[in-house]
Amino acid sequence: MNTRFIETFVTLAHLRSFRATARELHATPAAISLRVKSLEQELGTDLIDRSSKTFRLTANGEHLLSHARAVVGAVRKMQAAAHAQDRVHGTLRLGVNESIVHSWLARYIEELDAAYPELEVDLTVDASGVLQRRLLAGELDLVLRVEGIDSDKVMSEALAIYPVRWIARRGLFSPRKSGLIKRVLQRPVLTFGRGTAPQRAVEQIIASLAGQADIPAGQVRITCSPSVAAIVQLIRDGFGVAAIPALFVAEGIASGEFVELPIQPIPPSIVISMCRRVDAGKHVHAAAAVARAACEQYCRQTERNLVEAVPD
């Protein structure tokens, strides 16, 4: 017997309206009617007096209502008991890099607290390389960082793509003048921490651009930093040009403080991944599911040219 049909009957008897019951149970009136008819067929008796102009239960409906309420109550108690035994608690040692801090970390922590109020979060913000070492050493439970981790001890899944652009303070370079690449390379090029995939990609592109502009490779300066805030402040101060996701300076671009420079090629997008050990506890897997949901929601509410969720 379908307990959902029994719950529908109990709710309908309480609200005495198919429309109100449909709103309460997030269904249509037709679906509510079909559930009640299916329950009547299974029980072999009418529960609703359809000959009456006003809502009324049949005699059998009145008689069976108390039994139906008892069944619904028992099911809810069973669900509560199962949730109590399966509750997520303990401490989640969460490691994130600054790309997460400056995008959807606050949303994630808020949703994690709402879903699992008994779960305590011990947060670490560090470079992706450090987070990887600490996860493999068992010092962190869940890591959100640039790139996955190639290890048979770790589960990695891509969550989001952050398109990268060449960003500079407005007025620092005039795109209309010739020799833009040469003028850009006379200043430091800012990008993420040394040894990361974004930094390696930018270094290769800069070497190619330097060759096109006939600039000796030794004269090109690349400044690396794992700190998004530091990079943004440096370009705000006119220190140089940055190869970073436009997401981090979207407001500055909209206000006219920063501009995207028309330099080709554009560095490859940054891929944010979620990593956890294959032997992680239940609370880690539960927290990982919330992280994916929070990231997907953030991406849906943000312009696609700034960040895009990777399908599960």
Side-chain angles (χ1 to χ4, degrees), residues 207-238:
S208 175
L209 293 176
Q212 294 176 32
D214 197 25
I215 298 176
Q219 293 183 12
V220 179
R221 294 166 292 165
I222 298 179
T223 300
C224 303
S225 173
S227 171
V228 172
I231 293 174
V232 171
Q233 186 58 53
L234 284 170
I235 59 173
R236 177 174 286 118
D237 293 338

Side-chain angles (χ1 to χ4, degrees), residues 110-125:
E110 182 177 330
E111 294 188 9
L112 191 61
D113 181 64
Y116 305 114
E118 296 182 64
L119 184 65
E120 295 184 2
V121 177
D122 185 359
L123 179 64
T124 296
V125 180

Side-chain angles (χ1 to χ4, degrees), residues 167-170 232 235-236 245-260 303 305-306:
I167 306 294
R169 189 182 71 187
R170 178 176 291 277
V232 171
I235 59 173
R236 177 174 286 118
L247 174 68
F248 301 143
V249 289
E251 291 184 3
I253 292 174
S255 70
E257 181 182 14
F258 300 125
V259 294
E260 294 185 20
E303 293 181 27
N305 64 320
L306 297 177

Side-chain angles (χ1 to χ4, degrees), residues 39-96:
L39 182 60
E40 289 176 326
Q41 291 175 359
E42 193 166 0
L43 293 173
T45 186
D46 289 337
L47 300 172
I48 308 298
D49 184 356
R50 293 176 176 80
S51 65
S52 174
K53 292 184 179 181
T54 60
F55 182 85
R56 182 181 300 165
L57 297 180
T58 64
N60 275 344
E62 294 284 3
H63 172 67
L64 293 173
L65 181 57
S66 61
H67 296 285
R69 286 171 175 157
V71 170
V72 172
V75 169
R76 288 175 179 171
K77 287 180 181 178
M78 182 178 179
Q79 290 171 336
H83 180 72
Q85 287 192 353
D86 201 38
R87 65 191 177 96
V88 173
H89 61 286
T91 300
L92 175 71
R93 298 172 299 174
L94 174 65
V96 304

